[in-house]
Amino acid sequence: MTVSKAAEKSSEKPGDAAKGRKDATEAQPEALQLGELSEQLGYVLKRAQLKVFENFLRCMASLQLTPAQFSVLLLVEKNPGRNQTEVASTLGILRPNFVAMLDNLESRDLCARIRSTNDRRSHILVLTDKGKAVLARAKKLVATKHEARLNDLLGQANREALIEMLSKIANEF
Amino acid sequence: MTVSKAAEKSSEKPGDAAKGRKDATEAQPEALQLGELSEQLGYVLKRAQLKVFENFLRCMASLQLTPAQFSVLLLVEKNPGRNQTEVASTLGILRPNFVAMLDNLESRDLCARIRSTNDRRSHILVLTDKGKAVLARAKKLVATKHEARLNDLLGQANREALIEMLSKIANEF
DNA sequence: TGATAATTGTTATTGACCATATCAAATATC
DNA sequence: GATATTTGATATGGTCAATAACAATTATCA
């Protein structure tokens, strides 16, 4: 499949291969035919995922939260007192890569590592007050600016059906 | 959101945070609650995308084709005679990053760069005979082993609805 | 025509992620 | 109490996306 990031800049829109079209008198480079590509699950899935992440970053620009960071805050809020291994594993993040992520969140005073009294090897994770406040604002932004857009685009029923199908793929494919 | 690759090894299955559960007598670490995460579009979209790519790679193991490489072959077959900039741009690949990809495909004799006679700056792309043959086999593998699995999982109607919704997101979000 | 700008493929380089191996400290096992 | 396991952490390598810059070629246009 393919599809690059381009993130919030939304530069180099794919599918817009034709570049300098200024006038109908100009020689049109003719767009390429996608053909079977537009029916390939992986291709369309990847493209959609990039667009969604791109939009997510735009919505969260004021809070400076990436999708991954948002997921960590959500999970820690829902499961306070769990250690790094548990949280990372649940999110599919490898422990080594989770360290820098937490360093970031902790340096911004959004969450805290607390040495466990039961098992002094592990760090218990909790949200700080600031972390809870930021997450609350993030949820509102996501709901009003991000998820709401899906409803506008697909409608409530289709939106729910889409989430359900994607979950099924994620869990059973 | 988050979710790592783990590709074909399918190691470290996310959502399986509980590790060494051997017996019901063992102290169950209790799985974490996903909470609102399971309703987040980006989260479930990313997870699904990783699973689909993972499965794609398994299906294509005999041909050693990545999703990106497959998309290039498909597009070049459908649009022979286009140059690198056009093909790369259509797929959302930046020109610099497309060079190594083509080096790979060309070294395997799957496609060829031909200096254009009209514009001697550009390289026209075409599939070699071997490239066409490999792509034909790849299509069959994708259809029978990959896309077919979606039908088993969602049903024909839902599969089509899913593709359509994802395309809508990719194009209009 | 000829000087300047733009385009194409390419290289080099950087940063973001993903993944593995390894380590010290702490705990579990037997 | 000796050995193995677990936890957080570091170091490192790989892949991929993104930007800057360059030579060759072509387009623009005064």
Side-chain angles (χ1 to χ4, degrees):
Chain A
M1 288 69 186
T2 301
V3 186
S4 64
K5 282 182 186 173
E8 62 264 65
K9 297 183 185 176
S10 80
S11 62
E12 193 68 42
K13 296 165 193 165
D16 183 44
K19 286 137 301 251
R21 57 175 64 144
K22 310 166 187 174
D23 198 322
T25 65
E26 302 258 348
Q28 292 278 69
E30 297 183 35
L32 274 68
Q33 299 294 325
L34 286 187
E36 315 175 42
L37 211 49
S38 52
E39 294 292 328
Q40 288 292 325
L41 171 65
Y43 178 74
V44 69
L45 198 48
K46 179 82 181 185
R47 280 197 114 81
Q49 184 258 309
L50 288 174
K51 275 293 184 71
V52 167
F53 268 46
E54 184 184 325
N55 179 266
F56 184 96
L57 288 174
R58 271 199 305 270
C59 296
M60 290 303 213
S62 62
L63 297 180
Q64 285 289 294
L65 282 183
T66 67
Q69 291 168 336
F70 179 67
S71 70
V72 171
L73 295 184
L74 264 186
L75 198 61
V76 172
E77 182 197 46
K78 183 77 176 181
N79 303 271
R82 296 307 196 105
N83 67 28
Q84 297 183 197
T85 296
E86 291 172 316
V87 173
S89 166
T90 300
L91 291 174
I93 305 174
L94 295 173
R95 274 75 76 222
N97 298 329
F98 195 48
V99 174
M101 268 194 75
L102 277 185
D103 288 347
N104 181 323
L105 294 177
E106 201 173 22
S107 73
R108 294 160 65 182
D109 192 32
L110 298 180
C111 78
R113 294 185 242 223
I114 303 177
R115 191 118 246 158
S116 170
T117 54
N118 306 333
D119 186 340
R120 289 175 43 220
R121 288 172 298 187
S122 60
H123 289 168
I124 290 313
L125 298 182
V126 291
L127 294 192
T128 63
D129 288 344
K130 182 182 174 189
K132 292 174 187 172
V134 167
L135 180 56
R137 282 201 285 161
K139 284 183 188 178
K140 281 185 184 173
L141 287 179
V142 168
T144 61
K145 292 197 190 320
H146 187 65
E147 299 279 353
R149 191 159 173 178
L150 251 207
N151 281 334
D152 297 347
L153 195 61
L154 303 180
Q156 176 73 16
N158 284 334
R159 180 196 160 282
E160 292 175 6
L162 174 65
I163 299 280
E164 192 176 1
M165 284 192 279
L166 291 175
S167 294
K168 203 164 189 176
I169 293 176
N171 294 321
E172 303 173 31
F173 203 83
Chain B
M1 289 65 186
T2 301
V3 186
S4 64
K5 281 182 189 173
E8 63 265 66
K9 297 183 184 176
S10 80
S11 64
E12 192 69 42
K13 296 166 193 165
D16 183 43
K19 286 136 304 249
R21 56 175 64 145
K22 310 165 188 173
D23 196 323
T25 65
E26 302 257 348
Q28 291 280 68
E30 298 182 34
L32 274 69
Q33 299 293 325
L34 285 188
E36 315 174 43
L37 212 49
S38 52
E39 294 292 329
Q40 288 292 324
L41 171 65
Y43 178 74
V44 69
L45 197 48
K46 179 82 181 185
R47 282 199 112 83
Q49 184 259 308
L50 288 174
K51 274 294 184 71
V52 167
F53 269 45
E54 184 183 325
N55 179 266
F56 184 96
L57 288 173
R58 271 199 304 271
C59 296
M60 291 302 216
S62 62
L63 297 180
Q64 284 289 294
L65 282 183
T66 68
Q69 292 168 334
F70 179 67
S71 69
V72 171
L73 296 184
L74 264 186
L75 197 62
V76 172
E77 183 197 45
K78 182 77 177 181
N79 302 271
R82 297 306 195 105
N83 65 29
Q84 297 183 196
T85 295
E86 291 172 317
V87 173
S89 165
T90 300
L91 291 174
I93 304 174
L94 295 173
R95 273 76 74 222
N97 299 329
F98 195 47
V99 174
M101 269 193 76
L102 276 184
D103 288 347
N104 181 323
L105 293 176
E106 202 173 21
S107 72
R108 294 159 66 184
D109 192 32
L110 298 179
C111 79
R113 294 184 242 224
I114 303 177
R115 190 120 248 158
S116 169
T117 54
N118 305 333
D119 186 340
R120 288 175 42 220
R121 290 171 297 187
S122 60
H123 289 168
I124 291 310
L125 299 181
V126 292
L127 294 192
T128 62
D129 288 344
K130 183 182 173 189
K132 292 174 187 172
V134 167
L135 180 56
R137 282 203 284 161
K139 284 184 186 177
K140 280 186 183 172
L141 286 178
V142 168
T144 61
K145 292 196 190 319
H146 186 64
E147 299 279 352
R149 191 159 173 180
L150 251 205
N151 281 332
D152 297 346
L153 195 61
L154 303 179
Q156 176 73 16
N158 284 333
R159 179 196 160 283
E160 292 176 6
L162 174 65
I163 299 280
E164 192 176 2
M165 285 192 278
L166 290 175
S167 295
K168 203 164 189 175
I169 294 176
N171 294 322
E172 303 174 32
F173 203 83

